[in-house]
Amino acid sequence: MLKIFPRKNLIIDLVILVFIAIFLLGYFQPKLLLMQTTINGGDTGSHYPCADYLKEVLLPQAKIMGWMQGNYAGFPLFYHYFPLPFLLVAGLGYLISLEVSFKLITVLGVFMLPFCVYFAFRFLKYEFPIPIFGAVFTLSFLFNQGNSMWGGNIPSTLAGEFCYSLGFALVFLFMGTLYRGITEGKYLVLNALLIFLIGFSHAYTLIFSLLLGSFFVFDNFKKNFKYLFGVYGLGFLFLCFWLLPVLGNLPYTTSFVFRWTIRSILEVFPAVLIPFMALSLFAFFVNRKDKRTVYFIYAVIACIFVYLIGPRIGVLDIRFVAFFQMLLVLFGATLFEGLMKELKFTFLLPFILFFVVAIWVDVNTTYIRGWINWNYSGYEMKETWNVFHGINQYLKHSGEGRVEWEHTPLDESLGSIRTSETLPYFARRQTLEGIHMLGAISAPFVFYIESETSYQSCNPIPDYFYSTLDLGRGIDHFKLFNVSDFVVRSPQVKGIMKNYPEFKLEKSVGEYQIYRLLTNKDEYVTPLANQPVLFLTDDWRDVSYEWFAKEQLKDTFLVFARQADQEDRGIFKQIVSDLDDVKTVPYPKKNLKVKSLIRDESIEIETSEIGHPLLIKVSYHPNWRVEGADKIYFVSPCFMLVFPEKHRIRLSFEPGLPSMVGRLLTLLGVFLAILSPFWLKQRPTLPESEAGAKKWIILFILVVVVGFSFFAINFIVPDANSLLKKGRLDFERGNYALAREKFADVIRMSKKSSGPRCEARVFYATGFVRENRFAEGKGELRKFIEEYPNSFWTPQAYFDLAYCEVGLGNLKSAVRIYQKIVHAFPLTTWAKYSKDRLKDLKNKHETL
């Protein structure tokens, strides 16, 4: 398959690869990897319950994808995230403990990367010692401490991105096999299989594999199209059993796309990578006539292009900076190709290079060893384990409702700031927050509740506005989501709990307090008190979020539909398309009795009255099927509603049509692969060519496209987030009129649920205040407060409104507003400022 190196060179390569593995094991100590403890740290520990659920619940049913009740009021597991690493964990978990299996698979991508790069260079036909140089160079990227979120490097893997790491390694192998396959007319099935493995590992590595293929479209479309169509077509067929359900699930996911802020050029070009990137620069000039050089440069430019347009097409831009860095590091290894013939004792160079790079990496590594020890020692080895274990033991027997856990950085001492997401595993209790927020339809509402009930909420989804700490309103949402237990850690929230008699302190464990919500009935299925309203809309998310944030509509539920059919018109008394038109119409009071049993992938209900609508506090998904009712309605905020036709109703989560079609297409792909010797004719090997003028013209055109994209995105059609940032800069410089123009554009182009719109609205109004245009500022601020009565920015809006009242001479009104801030938002800085203003006003005007 590969060109055979002289045996001596192969032995040298093998020895160096072993050295690399030993070097990595010096950090990832075997005693930690083989310790039977539950991994923690970053997002990593939060993934563990999913692996356990796959092994214990789904695989015994011969299923890879299914419904998991544990987080987010239920969500479709692996309908949005990537199953391959979890399948490896579960499969190995049948042979060894799942704890150890999980640890080993999380580091698989890290250990594979040098080997995949080595074979990629071999497939690219680089001579000894270039492939082993490339493998050694990967160490600099792996130990890059410049970021822990972009993917591919060890810090990102430790933060929880082990799926990305596995796909990242495989896609660089694919970079070599695709080039070799297309130039020699072979490896079509192998490349299709790699496409499957890459896509099954991570979506962003799959996108990069598509970018690599696009090079050959531009290079020689007529000759290469059939091969590319075969590779990607067959790879797509292999993926269909999973990919089609994923695509069908997209309307029921949560978007998480924004422009990542890079604060320093050293984040992109960190010191540990600069020597290797410098080698790449020299290699470009030395090897500029080599077609493989164009291949590398094309991939680099393509990464820049996707980075620029990423947020506009729903792609997280920063993921492609990791590919950009890796390519610039690896290409430096090709510099030595032309020099080898002039050097003697070349067999010593790999050893010299390895020790130089290992020393360089080790000198530039600080926190990675500590992170590894923290993660792989596991929850059970933390000094706080007795506290966390005690909480879990109590919650395991305290009730059936869901658990809300205050978000606080203080949880880091337990093992991770996201420790609470593991409750479905450790406590066998459902909780609200989870790791797979993008795959959960309920995620925006869950994080809104978190902002109401936490002193330091994370507010992770920038597309939505959030609340300030408002435990009174949070209680309503607790009951809506059937939250019965509330775990509190921060002194601030502990301090206000005594103001809410609805909560009873049940247990104190270390610094944590567990409260019982006495007014929650622990019911997952409840009869509606008011008639539901059919709401016609093409954007249920925006409407539902506004409904969720408004106090006055909390007990009148909206059923979402694009249009009303005849059956709907017979069932619903109100059909509206504007929240202002919603009226609360109570049902006559009845003594209804409803019982429910929530299982992993089924819900069983018994009701005393046929026809009375039942709210099911489990996330909606079209794969839910119902017996005993005509259909399942999608109801606010993101739940299910049924009108019983029988006293017993059963819901079950079943594979949908996309799943069935996907399985058939995958079987077709497997069938075609088995028969490939009969239908696949080997193409003649294409002669190796230099990088002619045509290829450089293509690269030049691509550079122009990238440059135009940058200009267009930033100056012609900027998005709401970039406009908001520019408006804030104008605001800070005192250019309030110019800032208002930008804020007005943000307001115009954004939804009501939008975080940028909320922020733009308050600063649009505040600009008038800064200009001492108090009457106009007062009017705009009152509009803002009416639209966003509980947002993060609302206390500031009230404070500026009071300032306007002072400026207009309405001192009594100003005092009332300051007092409202102190009472309604006591833990905000605006409450402190308001107390100071009240003292000033009292000193100046004793009569008030």
mmCIF file of all heavy atoms in Angstrom, residues 607-636:
data_model
loop_
_atom_site.group_PDB
_atom_site.id
_atom_site.type_symbol
_atom_site.label_atom_id
_atom_site.label_comp_id
_atom_site.label_asym_id
_atom_site.label_seq_id
_atom_site.Cartn_x
_atom_site.Cartn_y
_atom_site.Cartn_z
ATOM 1 N N THR A 607 -55.559 9.502 33.714
ATOM 2 C CA THR A 607 -56.332 10.696 34.025
ATOM 3 C C THR A 607 -57.783 10.328 34.310
ATOM 4 O O THR A 607 -58.317 9.365 33.751
ATOM 5 C CB THR A 607 -56.276 11.721 32.879
ATOM 6 O OG1 THR A 607 -57.053 12.874 33.222
ATOM 7 C CG2 THR A 607 -56.807 11.131 31.580
ATOM 8 N N SER A 608 -58.402 11.132 35.172
ATOM 9 C CA SER A 608 -59.787 10.853 35.546
ATOM 10 C C SER A 608 -60.790 11.430 34.551
ATOM 11 O O SER A 608 -61.956 11.065 34.579
ATOM 12 C CB SER A 608 -60.072 11.410 36.947
ATOM 13 O OG SER A 608 -59.921 12.835 36.956
ATOM 14 N N GLU A 609 -60.333 12.345 33.691
ATOM 15 C CA GLU A 609 -61.286 12.989 32.776
ATOM 16 C C GLU A 609 -60.751 13.011 31.355
ATOM 17 O O GLU A 609 -59.672 13.535 31.091
ATOM 18 C CB GLU A 609 -61.605 14.414 33.230
ATOM 19 C CG GLU A 609 -62.630 15.090 32.328
ATOM 20 C CD GLU A 609 -63.282 16.294 32.972
ATOM 21 O OE1 GLU A 609 -63.275 16.364 34.202
ATOM 22 O OE2 GLU A 609 -63.790 17.153 32.239
ATOM 23 N N ILE A 610 -61.527 12.473 30.467
ATOM 24 C CA ILE A 610 -61.191 12.491 29.046
ATOM 25 C C ILE A 610 -61.482 13.886 28.484
ATOM 26 O O ILE A 610 -62.486 14.500 28.813
ATOM 27 C CB ILE A 610 -62.003 11.423 28.293
ATOM 28 C CG1 ILE A 610 -61.561 10.019 28.742
ATOM 29 C CG2 ILE A 610 -61.857 11.569 26.788
ATOM 30 C CD1 ILE A 610 -62.387 8.897 28.175
ATOM 31 N N GLY A 611 -60.573 14.357 27.630
ATOM 32 C CA GLY A 611 -60.796 15.622 26.949
ATOM 33 C C GLY A 611 -60.124 16.815 27.588
ATOM 34 O O GLY A 611 -59.867 17.812 26.916
ATOM 35 N N HIS A 612 -59.856 16.747 28.907
ATOM 36 C CA HIS A 612 -59.211 17.896 29.562
ATOM 37 C C HIS A 612 -57.711 17.864 29.265
ATOM 38 O O HIS A 612 -57.041 16.866 29.522
ATOM 39 C CB HIS A 612 -59.434 17.868 31.066
ATOM 40 C CG HIS A 612 -59.054 19.155 31.734
ATOM 41 N ND1 HIS A 612 -59.960 20.153 32.010
ATOM 42 C CD2 HIS A 612 -57.845 19.625 32.146
ATOM 43 C CE1 HIS A 612 -59.340 21.165 32.580
ATOM 44 N NE2 HIS A 612 -58.040 20.868 32.667
ATOM 45 N N PRO A 613 -57.155 18.962 28.734
ATOM 46 C CA PRO A 613 -55.748 18.951 28.285
ATOM 47 C C PRO A 613 -54.770 18.750 29.433
ATOM 48 O O PRO A 613 -54.941 19.304 30.521
ATOM 49 C CB PRO A 613 -55.575 20.324 27.634
ATOM 50 C CG PRO A 613 -56.640 21.176 28.241
ATOM 51 C CD PRO A 613 -57.796 20.273 28.518
ATOM 52 N N LEU A 614 -53.730 17.979 29.152
ATOM 53 C CA LEU A 614 -52.693 17.680 30.126
ATOM 54 C C LEU A 614 -51.354 18.233 29.648
ATOM 55 O O LEU A 614 -50.925 17.959 28.524
ATOM 56 C CB LEU A 614 -52.576 16.170 30.341
ATOM 57 C CG LEU A 614 -53.837 15.438 30.806
ATOM 58 C CD1 LEU A 614 -53.572 13.938 30.893
ATOM 59 C CD2 LEU A 614 -54.317 15.995 32.133
ATOM 60 N N LEU A 615 -50.722 18.994 30.509
ATOM 61 C CA LEU A 615 -49.380 19.515 30.241
ATOM 62 C C LEU A 615 -48.352 18.481 30.682
ATOM 63 O O LEU A 615 -48.346 18.063 31.835
ATOM 64 C CB LEU A 615 -49.156 20.826 30.993
ATOM 65 C CG LEU A 615 -47.755 21.438 30.879
ATOM 66 C CD1 LEU A 615 -47.500 21.945 29.460
ATOM 67 C CD2 LEU A 615 -47.565 22.560 31.893
ATOM 68 N N ILE A 616 -47.496 18.071 29.758
ATOM 69 C CA ILE A 616 -46.426 17.108 30.060
ATOM 70 C C ILE A 616 -45.119 17.873 30.118
ATOM 71 O O ILE A 616 -44.654 18.416 29.104
ATOM 72 C CB ILE A 616 -46.370 16.000 28.995
ATOM 73 C CG1 ILE A 616 -47.734 15.303 28.893
ATOM 74 C CG2 ILE A 616 -45.276 14.995 29.317
ATOM 75 C CD1 ILE A 616 -47.856 14.379 27.701
ATOM 76 N N LYS A 617 -44.516 17.936 31.292
ATOM 77 C CA LYS A 617 -43.341 18.785 31.515
ATOM 78 C C LYS A 617 -42.061 18.084 31.072
ATOM 79 O O LYS A 617 -41.084 17.965 31.817
ATOM 80 C CB LYS A 617 -43.278 19.185 32.981
ATOM 81 C CG LYS A 617 -44.503 19.975 33.427
ATOM 82 C CD LYS A 617 -44.483 20.295 34.905
ATOM 83 C CE LYS A 617 -45.719 21.060 35.323
ATOM 84 N NZ LYS A 617 -45.715 21.395 36.764
ATOM 85 N N VAL A 618 -42.099 17.612 29.857
ATOM 86 C CA VAL A 618 -40.960 16.969 29.201
ATOM 87 C C VAL A 618 -40.802 17.637 27.840
ATOM 88 O O VAL A 618 -41.799 17.980 27.188
ATOM 89 C CB VAL A 618 -41.188 15.456 29.039
ATOM 90 C CG1 VAL A 618 -40.066 14.814 28.220
ATOM 91 C CG2 VAL A 618 -41.294 14.781 30.401
ATOM 92 N N SER A 619 -39.574 17.830 27.410
ATOM 93 C CA SER A 619 -39.314 18.556 26.166
ATOM 94 C C SER A 619 -39.995 17.911 24.969
ATOM 95 O O SER A 619 -40.020 16.682 24.832
ATOM 96 C CB SER A 619 -37.809 18.639 25.908
ATOM 97 O OG SER A 619 -37.162 19.358 26.934
ATOM 98 N N TYR A 620 -40.499 18.757 24.115
ATOM 99 C CA TYR A 620 -41.161 18.286 22.894
ATOM 100 C C TYR A 620 -40.131 17.768 21.891
ATOM 101 O O TYR A 620 -39.019 18.285 21.787
ATOM 102 C CB TYR A 620 -41.946 19.425 22.259
ATOM 103 C CG TYR A 620 -42.568 19.061 20.928
ATOM 104 C CD1 TYR A 620 -43.800 18.433 20.871
ATOM 105 C CD2 TYR A 620 -41.905 19.335 19.732
ATOM 106 C CE1 TYR A 620 -44.369 18.083 19.645
ATOM 107 C CE2 TYR A 620 -42.466 18.987 18.513
ATOM 108 C CZ TYR A 620 -43.693 18.360 18.486
ATOM 109 O OH TYR A 620 -44.244 18.012 17.277
ATOM 110 N N HIS A 621 -40.527 16.742 21.160
ATOM 111 C CA HIS A 621 -39.761 16.274 20.010
ATOM 112 C C HIS A 621 -40.720 15.512 19.102
ATOM 113 O O HIS A 621 -41.595 14.793 19.592
ATOM 114 C CB HIS A 621 -38.603 15.364 20.436
ATOM 115 C CG HIS A 621 -37.585 15.136 19.365
ATOM 116 N ND1 HIS A 621 -37.749 14.189 18.373
ATOM 117 C CD2 HIS A 621 -36.407 15.756 19.097
ATOM 118 C CE1 HIS A 621 -36.695 14.231 17.561
ATOM 119 N NE2 HIS A 621 -35.871 15.167 17.973
ATOM 120 N N PRO A 622 -40.588 15.659 17.790
ATOM 121 C CA PRO A 622 -41.529 14.988 16.889
ATOM 122 C C PRO A 622 -41.450 13.468 16.919
ATOM 123 O O PRO A 622 -42.351 12.798 16.405
ATOM 124 C CB PRO A 622 -41.147 15.538 15.502
ATOM 125 C CG PRO A 622 -39.750 16.025 15.648
ATOM 126 C CD PRO A 622 -39.642 16.522 17.053
ATOM 127 N N ASN A 623 -40.387 12.912 17.514
ATOM 128 C CA ASN A 623 -40.282 11.451 17.587
ATOM 129 C C ASN A 623 -41.138 10.841 18.690
ATOM 130 O O ASN A 623 -41.240 9.620 18.783
ATOM 131 C CB ASN A 623 -38.822 11.026 17.791
ATOM 132 C CG ASN A 623 -38.029 11.100 16.501
ATOM 133 O OD1 ASN A 623 -38.440 11.733 15.546
ATOM 134 N ND2 ASN A 623 -36.880 10.461 16.480
ATOM 135 N N TRP A 624 -41.723 11.681 19.541
ATOM 136 C CA TRP A 624 -42.637 11.151 20.544
ATOM 137 C C TRP A 624 -43.922 10.692 19.867
ATOM 138 O O TRP A 624 -44.491 11.402 19.034
ATOM 139 C CB TRP A 624 -42.966 12.208 21.601
ATOM 140 C CG TRP A 624 -41.887 12.406 22.631
ATOM 141 C CD1 TRP A 624 -41.016 13.451 22.713
ATOM 142 C CD2 TRP A 624 -41.585 11.548 23.736
ATOM 143 N NE1 TRP A 624 -40.181 13.300 23.786
ATOM 144 C CE2 TRP A 624 -40.510 12.130 24.439
ATOM 145 C CE3 TRP A 624 -42.112 10.340 24.190
ATOM 146 C CZ2 TRP A 624 -39.956 11.558 25.570
ATOM 147 C CZ3 TRP A 624 -41.562 9.763 25.329
ATOM 148 C CH2 TRP A 624 -40.495 10.370 26.010
ATOM 149 N N ARG A 625 -44.383 9.518 20.218
ATOM 150 C CA ARG A 625 -45.643 8.977 19.707
ATOM 151 C C ARG A 625 -46.596 8.779 20.876
ATOM 152 O O ARG A 625 -46.162 8.536 22.010
ATOM 153 C CB ARG A 625 -45.405 7.622 19.013
ATOM 154 C CG ARG A 625 -44.451 7.699 17.830
ATOM 155 C CD ARG A 625 -45.084 8.445 16.654
ATOM 156 N NE ARG A 625 -44.190 8.459 15.502
ATOM 157 C CZ ARG A 625 -43.366 9.468 15.218
ATOM 158 N NH1 ARG A 625 -43.328 10.516 16.011
ATOM 159 N NH2 ARG A 625 -42.602 9.414 14.145
ATOM 160 N N VAL A 626 -47.896 8.893 20.616
ATOM 161 C CA VAL A 626 -48.876 8.821 21.692
ATOM 162 C C VAL A 626 -49.955 7.794 21.386
ATOM 163 O O VAL A 626 -50.379 7.643 20.234
ATOM 164 C CB VAL A 626 -49.509 10.210 21.955
ATOM 165 C CG1 VAL A 626 -50.317 10.686 20.743
ATOM 166 C CG2 VAL A 626 -50.364 10.189 23.214
ATOM 167 N N GLU A 627 -50.365 7.074 22.430
ATOM 168 C CA GLU A 627 -51.531 6.192 22.387
ATOM 169 C C GLU A 627 -52.515 6.691 23.441
ATOM 170 O O GLU A 627 -52.127 6.972 24.573
ATOM 171 C CB GLU A 627 -51.132 4.746 22.697
ATOM 172 C CG GLU A 627 -50.090 4.164 21.745
ATOM 173 C CD GLU A 627 -49.556 2.834 22.234
ATOM 174 O OE1 GLU A 627 -50.140 2.292 23.202
ATOM 175 O OE2 GLU A 627 -48.563 2.348 21.676
ATOM 176 N N GLY A 628 -53.776 6.790 23.069
ATOM 177 C CA GLY A 628 -54.783 7.290 23.996
ATOM 178 C C GLY A 628 -55.101 8.748 23.802
ATOM 179 O O GLY A 628 -55.892 9.337 24.546
ATOM 180 N N ALA A 629 -54.471 9.374 22.808
ATOM 181 C CA ALA A 629 -54.770 10.756 22.418
ATOM 182 C C ALA A 629 -54.534 10.857 20.918
ATOM 183 O O ALA A 629 -53.798 10.054 20.330
ATOM 184 C CB ALA A 629 -53.903 11.746 23.176
ATOM 185 N N ASP A 630 -55.149 11.856 20.307
ATOM 186 C CA ASP A 630 -55.058 11.971 18.860
ATOM 187 C C ASP A 630 -53.663 12.384 18.411
ATOM 188 O O ASP A 630 -53.127 11.853 17.440
ATOM 189 C CB ASP A 630 -56.096 12.982 18.355
ATOM 190 C CG ASP A 630 -56.029 13.158 16.847
ATOM 191 O OD1 ASP A 630 -56.112 12.129 16.146
ATOM 192 O OD2 ASP A 630 -55.867 14.303 16.378
ATOM 193 N N LYS A 631 -53.063 13.331 19.122
ATOM 194 C CA LYS A 631 -51.753 13.839 18.715
ATOM 195 C C LYS A 631 -51.090 14.527 19.903
ATOM 196 O O LYS A 631 -51.715 14.759 20.944
ATOM 197 C CB LYS A 631 -51.884 14.816 17.544
ATOM 198 C CG LYS A 631 -52.704 16.067 17.877
ATOM 199 C CD LYS A 631 -52.953 16.946 16.654
ATOM 200 C CE LYS A 631 -51.714 17.585 16.128
ATOM 201 N NZ LYS A 631 -51.992 18.572 15.051
ATOM 202 N N ILE A 632 -49.829 14.855 19.733
ATOM 203 C CA ILE A 632 -49.067 15.605 20.730
ATOM 204 C C ILE A 632 -48.901 17.031 20.210
ATOM 205 O O ILE A 632 -48.426 17.244 19.093
ATOM 206 C CB ILE A 632 -47.689 14.974 20.974
ATOM 207 C CG1 ILE A 632 -47.844 13.549 21.497
ATOM 208 C CG2 ILE A 632 -46.877 15.811 21.957
ATOM 209 C CD1 ILE A 632 -46.537 12.779 21.590
ATOM 210 N N TYR A 633 -49.284 17.990 21.025
ATOM 211 C CA TYR A 633 -49.138 19.399 20.657
ATOM 212 C C TYR A 633 -47.873 19.971 21.276
ATOM 213 O O TYR A 633 -47.474 19.597 22.387
ATOM 214 C CB TYR A 633 -50.349 20.208 21.121
ATOM 215 C CG TYR A 633 -51.627 19.892 20.380
ATOM 216 C CD1 TYR A 633 -52.506 18.921 20.847
ATOM 217 C CD2 TYR A 633 -51.952 20.556 19.198
ATOM 218 C CE1 TYR A 633 -53.680 18.612 20.175
ATOM 219 C CE2 TYR A 633 -53.128 20.266 18.509
ATOM 220 C CZ TYR A 633 -53.981 19.297 19.004
ATOM 221 O OH TYR A 633 -55.142 19.001 18.328
ATOM 222 N N PHE A 634 -47.274 20.876 20.547
ATOM 223 C CA PHE A 634 -46.072 21.578 21.006
ATOM 224 C C PHE A 634 -46.523 22.827 21.760
ATOM 225 O O PHE A 634 -47.100 23.736 21.187
ATOM 226 C CB PHE A 634 -45.223 21.935 19.784
ATOM 227 C CG PHE A 634 -43.905 22.580 20.097
ATOM 228 C CD1 PHE A 634 -43.334 22.497 21.352
ATOM 229 C CD2 PHE A 634 -43.208 23.262 19.109
ATOM 230 C CE1 PHE A 634 -42.114 23.082 21.625
ATOM 231 C CE2 PHE A 634 -41.985 23.849 19.358
ATOM 232 C CZ PHE A 634 -41.440 23.760 20.622
ATOM 233 N N VAL A 635 -46.240 22.868 23.079
ATOM 234 C CA VAL A 635 -46.794 23.921 23.928
ATOM 235 C C VAL A 635 -45.672 24.665 24.648
ATOM 236 O O VAL A 635 -44.599 24.104 24.913
ATOM 237 C CB VAL A 635 -47.793 23.309 24.938
ATOM 238 C CG1 VAL A 635 -47.086 22.381 25.907
ATOM 239 C CG2 VAL A 635 -48.572 24.373 25.682
ATOM 240 N N SER A 636 -45.902 25.911 24.973
ATOM 241 C CA SER A 636 -44.905 26.739 25.650
ATOM 242 C C SER A 636 -44.569 26.170 27.037
ATOM 243 O O SER A 636 -45.414 25.545 27.687
ATOM 244 C CB SER A 636 -45.440 28.161 25.801
ATOM 245 O OG SER A 636 -46.660 28.169 26.544
#
